[in-house]
Amino acid sequence: MTDAPMREVVQRGLWFEEFEEGVRYLHRPGRTVTEADNVLFTTLTMNPQPLHLDAAWSARQPFGRILVNSLFTLSTLVGQSVAQLTQGTLVANLGFGAVAFPNPVFVGDTLYGESVVESKRLSSSRPGEGIVVLGHTARNQDGVVVATASRTMLVWTREAGEQQGLGGDGAAAASGSDG
């Protein structure tokens, strides 16, 4: 081993230039949903829906058991993409569209997320930033699609992000981005 300084790599998302249209990013590891996840998320968001909280009531409904809160599913799907795509490089989420939950999620299911870059363009009003549209998909352990969503976000270009100190000196962790 030499006395040369060790090269350091800080985990970050992608700069605008690094997003490639038509590429599918697989987010791993998966996330197995627990009963505690569902109850905590449902109660924190003040959702009294018995489908998420009341096993006896849910047993008499069409699925025969408690359903995981669909907004937990969406939040998990987006959260799975952060480390790989937007950690420290996101300026803001601009919006979600075309959210769908084609199949239910149950306690014990494992969610696997993936994202496809649908489009990207430089912002015409915000120099140093670009708009990226992602198509997110969540599948359960059997490969069944349980959620889809379109997400539009504002992302730093490499040059502007590095000028902001987001390139690897730890400033990205202090930026306050929420994914």
Side-chain angles (χ1 to χ4, degrees):
M1 186 156 220
T2 67
D3 290 334
M6 186 177 294
R7 189 170 81 89
E8 295 180 340
V9 176
V10 174
Q11 183 173 336
R12 64 161 172 83
L14 303 179
W15 300 119
F16 172 79
E17 297 86 349
E18 294 174 306
F19 282 95
E20 296 180 50
E21 289 185 40
V23 170
R24 176 174 290 132
Y25 298 90
L26 303 177
H27 312 305
R28 300 297 184 264
R31 173 67 158 76
T32 301
V33 181
T34 68
E35 182 177 14
D37 295 329
N38 186 53
V39 170
L40 181 61
F41 186 90
T42 299
T43 56
L44 282 174
T45 57
M46 298 185 66
N47 180 344
Q49 177 54 254
L51 275 174
H52 306 314
L53 298 170
D54 186 331
W57 188 86
S58 295
R60 297 188 309 271
Q61 301 309 306
F63 291 104
R65 57 186 161 155
I66 284 179
L67 298 177
V68 170
N69 187 313
S70 57
L71 292 181
F72 174 85
T73 302
L74 178 62
S75 295
T76 301
L77 171 58
V78 172
Q80 286 177 318
S81 74
V82 171
Q84 190 174 19
L85 300 180
T86 62
Q87 184 171 317
T89 58
L90 181 78
V91 177
N93 279 320
L94 299 178
F96 289 87
V99 175
F101 304 100
N103 291 290
V105 174
F106 302 107
V107 169
D109 281 350
T110 300
L111 301 176
Y112 294 95
E114 58 189 62
S115 302
V116 174
V117 179
E118 295 179 345
S119 66
K120 67 181 232 180
R121 67 174 176 81
L122 288 170
S123 173
S124 58
S125 61
R126 298 180 63 100
E129 300 171 9
I131 297 169
V132 178
V133 178
L134 296 176
H136 293 297
T137 301
R139 299 176 191 277
N140 69 13
Q141 65 281 353
D142 299 318
V144 174
V145 174
V146 295
T148 58
S150 176
R151 175 182 173 207
T152 303
M153 57 193 191
L154 199 57
V155 179
W156 290 106
T157 63
R158 178 185 300 273
E159 182 180 359
E162 288 177 346
Q163 286 175 356
Q164 293 289 322
L166 303 177
D169 62 2
S175 72
S177 270
D178 68 349

